[in-house]
Amino acid sequence: MKVFTTENIRNISLLGHRGSGKTTLVESILYVKDYIKRKGDVENGTTVSDFDKEEVRRFFI
């Protein structure tokens, strides 16, 4: 895993209603910048940002 020093860390927040595309946007940015090799799928629970079981479960509610 790549190590980042505190002066190189930038925090951002994406806000939006459920289903507005936040996770898809994050996946696309990471893919375009070559941080991930393939985009995950929200429906399959394979995205980088939806790593918690509760987040994946809530998609189907």
Side-chain angles (χ1 to χ4, degrees):
M1 178 181 233
K2 190 172 182 179
V3 177
F4 296 95
T5 59
T6 54
E7 56 268 356
N8 293 326
I9 295 175
R10 302 293 180 263
N11 293 315
I12 63 167
S13 177
L14 294 175
L15 303 174
H17 292 284
R18 180 180 179 189
S20 63
K22 300 175 301 289
T23 302
T24 303
L25 175 63
V26 169
E27 288 288 308
S28 296
I29 291 169
L30 292 174
Y31 179 74
V32 167
K33 299 304 283 179
D34 289 328
Y35 285 107
I36 58 176
K37 298 297 179 201
R38 66 179 184 87
K39 290 193 242 179
D41 186 68
V42 175
E43 293 179 11
N44 293 328
T46 58
T47 61
V48 171
S49 58
D50 288 341
F51 55 88
D52 186 61
K53 289 180 185 177
E54 181 66 16
E55 291 172 309
V56 174
R57 183 191 71 79
R58 286 180 184 213
F59 174 78
F60 296 103
I61 293 178

